[in-house]
Amino acid sequence: MPKVLVSACLLGQPVRYDGGHQLAHHPVLARWLAQGQVVAICPEVAGGLPTPRPPAEITTGGSGASVLSGHAQVRDSAGDDVTDAFARGAQLALQLAHKHGIRVAVLKDFSPSCGSSHIYDGQFAGRKVAGDGVTSALLRDAGIAVFGEHQWDAAAQALQAATCAAGKD
């Protein structure tokens, strides 16, 4: 069975910045869990950040790709630069994906690590902008399809397509 990378907070693990989780309930996720296909990751915790921790955002105008290229930073609400931890966590997520042959990930939207289509604007004012998190950008750059937590059906279709393509190789 092919594996899927899933944000640990979506699995009910208390790894979010506030010590909470964002447990997801969806039939696709339930099926993947029952079949042993889920590999959990919290890139922020994997990168060495504690739980709880101050919220963090990518600096204004930045995205995950701009963080990875050194053109933006990730700062927490106290103003501390936590870019290295986010980059380290993204690398560990990618290593985990390679280890398990993962081609599809479902990650927590709006996160500066996992956001797949939208992140916060870097002002800590609750405004969301188009963009991806550091881990999402790195995974996509490696050819892994990344989806947000409201895209379970699309992720399942991508997993099926990737599985069929792998079978033809």
Side-chain angles (χ1 to χ4, degrees):
M1 281 289 191
K3 302 284 186 185
V4 180
L5 193 67
V6 177
S7 290
C9 64
L10 297 176
L11 300 172
Q13 295 180 23
V15 294
R16 286 176 40 90
Y17 74 93
D18 59 4
H21 61 78
Q22 289 287 310
L23 180 61
H25 299 281
H26 195 278
V28 169
L29 176 59
R31 183 176 71 242
W32 288 344
L33 286 166
Q35 294 173 344
Q37 292 179 264
V38 173
V39 175
I41 183 75
C42 175
E44 296 171 28
V45 171
L49 295 174
T51 301
R53 58 190 168 275
E57 295 185 9
I58 296 172
T59 52
T60 304
S63 67
S66 58
V67 170
L68 292 169
S69 68
H71 292 98
Q73 297 176 323
V74 183
R75 293 200 170 267
D76 67 22
S77 59
D80 294 325
D81 184 348
V82 290
T83 304
D84 288 344
F86 276 75
R88 194 169 38 253
Q91 286 293 333
L92 291 169
L94 181 59
Q95 289 173 14
L96 192 61
H98 286 315
K99 175 182 175 183
H100 292 282
I102 290 172
R103 306 293 302 146
V104 173
V106 179
L107 305 177
K108 178 69 183 101
D109 246 338
F110 311 117
S111 159
S113 286
C114 296
S116 65
S117 62
H118 287 84
I119 56 175
Y120 288 98
D121 71 356
Q123 300 288 318
F124 295 95
R127 287 186 299 268
K128 299 169 186 168
V129 296
D132 55 3
V134 179
T135 298
S136 290
L138 187 64
L139 293 176
R140 280 195 175 118
D141 191 49
I144 297 168
V146 179
F147 298 90
E149 76 268 23
H150 300 292
Q151 299 176 302
W152 296 104
D153 293 325
Q157 290 174 351
L159 182 63
Q160 180 65 31
T163 302
C164 289
K168 293 179 183 177
D169 291 343

